[in-house]
Amino acid sequence: LTTTKAGIADYLHKGLLLEISFLDGNTYEFFGVPKNVFLKFHNSDKQVRFAKRNIFSSYLYRLAKEADEKDEA
């Protein structure tokens, strides 16, 4: 699973939607993430650890963009 194995490449917070792009090319959308949680994530010096503990297992999510197979090779 991307959220447990890949590092974070980029992220975007709009309203209550947090979109996280991972280094393996997959992008996930997390729903219902409030601004205060996003700000703690954004300001964390260890974003992957913060996200694993406070976002990945706490909010509904979906795979928004799957990595191209040629990107994985």
Side-chain angles (χ1 to χ4, degrees):
L1 184 63
T2 295
T3 57
T4 58
K5 295 184 180 177
I8 295 172
D10 197 15
Y11 53 87
L12 175 65
H13 188 251
K14 294 184 285 187
L16 294 175
L17 176 71
L18 175 60
E19 184 177 280
I20 299 179
S21 299
F22 293 88
L23 294 173
D24 68 356
N26 291 325
T27 299
Y28 284 83
E29 293 176 332
F30 295 85
F31 302 97
V33 180
K35 187 174 183 178
N36 67 318
V37 173
F38 168 72
L39 290 175
K40 289 178 184 177
F41 165 74
H42 175 72
N43 292 321
S44 175
D45 58 344
K46 296 181 179 167
Q47 291 177 329
V48 172
R49 185 172 74 177
F50 180 89
K52 283 181 181 179
R53 293 180 177 179
N54 300 287
I55 297 173
F56 297 162
S57 60
S58 301
Y59 296 96
L60 182 66
Y61 66 92
R62 73 172 180 173
L63 177 63
K65 178 180 175 271
E66 195 165 2
D68 294 334
E69 289 196 21
K70 61 183 175 186
D71 291 344
E72 294 176 357

